[in-house]
DNA sequence: AAGTGCCCCAACCGCGTCCGT
DNA sequence: CACGGACGCGGTTGGGGCACT
């Protein structure tokens, strides 16, 4: 099917956002909540396309964003998650409170890749470079054939049993047996995103939810004993569906 | 101090998926 | 069931800032 442009490009600004544009966007979302990105720019008086507004909000303006350097804990978690999920940055971000998919993607490409290479690990397959190089010489060793890259441990296939690799053969060193019951320490700010204003949940939630459930990462324990339901606050779930943290939604 | 190259990150682009009609 | 609109994702790019010469 044909794809119409997301907006009328002739009358939209591009490039870096100004302070005023930021203020307008924040004010509008605070007043009306997220949702209907297509009509938001007009309603908010912005000469931007909806996509651009959404990106700006998600990656930069959202109040629950944790700015600053990644911690070692976060590094490790990202590596582990990437090993399982591959380049599913949004799903990885869903398990890192206060981090965005774009931020994690950038961080991966600029820091972690290099870090893994320095350790002699192939960032694509998470296997030792020597093994990867040998495999590359062999036929049918494309990256997408590698378990980590093809997400064989995706929620649908891995379920709670992580048994997909058992089926696919024991010759693969990679296993989906990583303990993902990992926590990141409390961010400096509690997420204050007005989740009530979140748009209706769509496909990612179901995917992310099942995996979140599978890895028991649907909620995070913080030092004060409170639990933040990532399903709701980070993934936009409706009414706690698929959420095991017991919040039961709004 | 000026020039050059590199790094990093914000933003854009194109496409896939989902949902309503 | 098919179609079209809207959303969200992942890959890529461009430019500002920094380090080095």
């Amino acid at each position: 099917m044909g794809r119409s442009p997301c907006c009328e490009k002739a009358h939209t600004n591009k490039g870096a956002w100004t302070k005023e544009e930021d203020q307008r966007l924040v004010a509008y979302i605070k007043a009306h909540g997220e949702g209907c990105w297509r009509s938001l720019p007009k309603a908010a008086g912005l000469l931007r396309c909806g996509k651009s507004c959404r990106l700006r909000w998600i990656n930069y303006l959202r109040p629950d964003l944790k700015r600053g350097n990644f911690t070692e804990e976060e590094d490790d978690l990202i590596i582990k998650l990437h090993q399982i999920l591959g380049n599913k940055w949004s799903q990885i971000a869903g398990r890192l409170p206060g981090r965005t998919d774009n931020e994690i993607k950038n961080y991966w490409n600029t820091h972690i890749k290099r870090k893994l290479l320095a350790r002699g690990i192939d960032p694509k397959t998470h296997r030792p470079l020597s093994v990867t190089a040998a495999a590359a010489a062999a036929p049918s060793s494309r990256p997408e054939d590698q378990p980590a890259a093809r997400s064989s441990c995706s929620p649908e296939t891995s379920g709670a049993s992580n048994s997909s690799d058992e089926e696919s053969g024991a010759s693969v060193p990679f296993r989906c047996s990583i303990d993902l019951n990992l926590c990141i320490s409390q961010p400096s700010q509690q997420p204050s995103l007005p989740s009530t204003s979140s748009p209706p949940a769509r496909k990612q939630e179901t995917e992310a939810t099942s995996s979140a459930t599978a890895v028991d990462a649907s909620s995070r324990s913080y030092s004060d004993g409170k639990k933040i339901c990532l399903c709701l606050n980070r993934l936009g779930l409706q009414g706690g569906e698929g959420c095991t943290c017991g919040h039961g939604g709004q």
Side-chain angles (χ1 to χ4, degrees):
Chain A
M1 80 188 74
R3 174 171 296 271
S4 59
C6 72
C7 51
E8 293 172 35
K9 303 204 173 190
H11 300 100
T12 54
N13 289 341
K14 284 172 113 182
W17 281 63
T18 65
K19 275 190 178 181
E20 193 191 339
E21 286 177 314
D22 282 349
Q23 285 167 2
R24 278 177 185 262
L25 181 57
V26 170
Y28 183 86
I29 291 178
K30 275 185 179 171
H32 301 92
E34 293 178 51
C36 199
W37 293 107
R38 192 177 169 84
S39 60
L40 184 148
K42 200 175 182 181
L46 289 163
L47 294 174
R48 293 275 180 176
C49 85
K51 252 183 175 181
S52 183
C53 294
R54 178 182 154 271
L55 223 54
R56 184 64 177 172
W57 172 254
I58 288 175
N59 289 329
Y60 201 81
L61 298 173
R62 242 172 41 192
D64 62 331
L65 287 183
K66 189 204 290 187
R67 317 288 307 175
N69 295 336
F70 282 75
T71 64
E72 279 295 320
E73 266 185 323
E74 286 174 313
D75 270 23
D76 291 343
L77 183 54
I78 291 169
I79 292 167
K80 284 181 168 63
L81 289 169
H82 185 272
Q83 188 170 5
I84 292 170
L85 299 168
N87 291 359
K88 304 287 179 191
W89 304 116
S90 61
Q91 289 187 36
I92 293 172
R95 288 153 185 73
L96 282 156
R99 301 296 188 185
T100 70
D101 55 354
N102 205 35
E103 194 177 11
I104 292 170
K105 182 170 57 180
N106 282 332
Y107 188 66
W108 177 270
N109 286 325
T110 56
H111 290 88
I112 298 183
K113 254 187 184 177
R114 207 174 301 161
K115 189 173 166 179
L116 290 178
L117 286 171
R119 290 182 190 169
I121 297 170
D122 183 352
K124 273 188 186 171
T125 62
H126 294 265
R127 300 163 70 183
L129 278 171
S130 52
V131 173
T132 309
S140 111
S141 58
R142 293 166 298 135
E144 56 265 36
D145 290 334
Q146 304 305 321
R150 62 178 160 85
S151 300
S152 69
C153 298
S154 63
E156 303 85 75
T157 55
S158 64
S161 64
N162 289 339
S163 62
S164 60
D165 277 329
E166 248 84 68
E167 297 163 13
S168 63
S171 62
V172 187
F174 175 79
R175 301 250 169 225
C176 294
S177 57
I178 292 165
D179 175 15
L180 274 176
N181 193 9
L182 299 166
C183 287
I184 292 297
S185 58
Q186 183 177 18
S188 56
Q189 283 183 311
Q190 289 293 336
S192 56
L193 184 68
S195 58
T196 53
S197 61
S198 294
R202 294 185 63 162
K203 75 140 181 174
Q204 281 75 21
E205 294 87 88
T206 56
E207 222 178 44
T209 302
S210 56
S211 59
T213 306
V215 300
D216 192 25
S218 58
S219 61
R220 305 268 182 232
S221 296
Y222 287 130
S223 56
D224 62 0
K226 285 181 189 170
K227 278 196 166 185
I228 299 298
C229 172
L230 295 179
C231 297
L232 292 164
N233 286 343
R234 298 278 305 128
L235 303 177
L237 256 190
Q238 281 182 322
E241 55 180 311
C243 176
T244 59
C245 68
H247 282 174
Q250 314 297 319

